[in-house]
Amino acid sequence: MELRQLRYFVAVAEELHFGRAAQRVHISGPALSQQILALERELGTELLVRDRRSVRLSAAGQSLLGDARRILRLADDAKLGVQRTAEQRAPVRLGYVSWLPDGLNSAVGSSVSLRIDEWVLPSHVQADRVAEGTLDIGLAWITAEQARARDLTAHLLRAERLDAVLPVSASSEVVAARRLTALVDPDVAAWWSWNRFAEAFAVDTGARLVRIDDGGITGDAFYAHVRRIRGPVLASPKRHTAVTPPSLSQRPVAEPVPLWTWSLLHRNDDDRAAIREVVDSLLALARVRGWLVPPTQRWWVPADDPHRAALDPGSDLR
């Protein structure tokens, strides 16, 4: 007996109609009849009594039905167990933008194979890749609407405080947000997320917005803009190998403190144990390192940040 023949037999036995059973198991009616006949020949007995108007189980068919159901359940359970084992051993693909937690692999442990994706891409691109399945998990900045539209779950992994960069001659211990300049670049393929953040920051705080067209949101070109502006400029969270020139300094921002929220993203319907383990491990690391706690001073995130309530569940003023 083949499992498919037992599956076909159970379908006919439950439907008591060859046409409906054929639709249920996705084969043609004649092919289903041939498979049932082959099963009966192998067993040497009639399982179904057929006439032009009805189908009913024979005594042998009634005897086989319970055993067939049990065999199919065991086969389905075995298949599911193998699939779950394979999923556990398959590497979890994690993509990021410019920041990865130190000790990432140690935090996750050896029970999950974690593969860091080599393509370091902007936040909105990494979110799209998680949604389409080319990544399993992403570390990126995202809006609440982006997460909803892509059916993504966004866990807060870190609320990163952004600083100001300014000429040493203009330095002070703390820079008020309204004194800042925020840069935006028309290259939305690279800077969509940052532009969205910076534009909202300028509107809410009164900071000045300056449009550039050379990609100078970070790196040496960014430092050139700071020297040209001769005042404090909001620094992006984008990591860069360029060293801050000695003529410039970095200072904290206040009233309010701008927070860039790094989200740990995965698909809403991805309930694999390996995904849960990576998420739980990284969120535990975030709690230990204090990444989820906002500053005690007044802080700011965009209105459509998905983590506003998590950062301050008792207030709607920020």
Side-chain angles (χ1 to χ4, degrees), residues 41-97:
R41 283 196 299 270
E42 182 177 351
L43 295 177
T45 186
E46 185 180 55
L47 300 173
L48 298 161
V49 180
R50 312 149 176 93
D51 58 36
R52 291 184 177 182
R53 295 184 177 181
S54 66
V55 178
R56 68 181 189 275
L57 286 167
S58 68
Q62 291 175 346
S63 174
L64 177 62
L65 182 58
D67 289 336
R69 284 170 170 162
R70 283 191 291 274
I71 290 169
L72 291 174
R73 279 198 299 270
L74 286 171
D76 289 341
D77 289 345
K79 180 180 178 181
L80 183 60
V82 170
Q83 289 174 337
R84 285 175 174 170
T85 301
E87 287 174 352
Q88 280 293 105
R89 293 179 178 176
V92 173
R93 300 159 299 175
L94 184 148
Y96 69 106
V97 178

Side-chain angles (χ1 to χ4, degrees), residues 148-315:
R148 282 192 297 270
R150 290 160 178 76
D151 291 325
L152 297 178
T153 298
H155 305 274
L156 177 63
L157 185 64
R158 182 182 179 188
E160 180 179 355
R161 179 174 183 157
L162 301 186
D163 291 334
V165 176
L166 65 166
V168 170
S169 59
S171 65
S172 60
E173 286 302 314
V174 178
V175 179
R178 66 181 181 277
R179 292 183 51 219
L180 287 172
T181 295
L183 306 178
V184 293
D185 192 289
D187 182 5
V188 294
W191 301 110
W192 185 90
S193 297
W194 172 255
N195 288 351
R196 182 78 176 265
F197 181 93
E199 288 166 357
F201 179 76
V203 169
D204 289 350
T205 65
R208 184 167 68 118
L209 201 65
V210 170
R211 302 188 182 279
I212 61 173
D213 59 5
D214 59 357
I217 303 298
T218 188
D220 290 327
F222 171 75
Y223 297 133
H225 285 300
V226 175
R227 287 191 290 265
R228 176 178 59 82
I229 291 170
R230 298 182 182 180
V233 180
L234 181 65
S236 82
K238 179 80 172 177
R239 272 66 178 173
H240 197 278
T241 55
V243 178
T244 305
S247 60
L248 302 178
S249 63
Q250 192 163 315
R251 292 289 181 267
V253 178
E255 293 301 318
V257 179
L259 298 180
W260 178 272
T261 55
W262 291 108
S263 289
L264 185 63
L265 304 173
H266 62 84
R267 293 178 294 282
N268 289 339
D269 61 356
D270 195 343
D271 59 356
R272 289 175 291 165
I275 300 299
R276 292 196 300 272
E277 187 161 349
V278 172
V279 169
D280 290 345
S281 297
L282 292 183
L283 293 181
L285 179 67
R287 288 189 290 271
V288 168
R289 297 191 177 177
W291 290 339
L292 308 180
V293 181
T296 55
Q297 310 100 310
R298 187 165 69 94
W299 49 265
W300 176 90
V301 294
D304 57 355
D305 190 291
H307 307 299
R308 284 171 63 90
L311 287 166
D312 191 5
S315 173

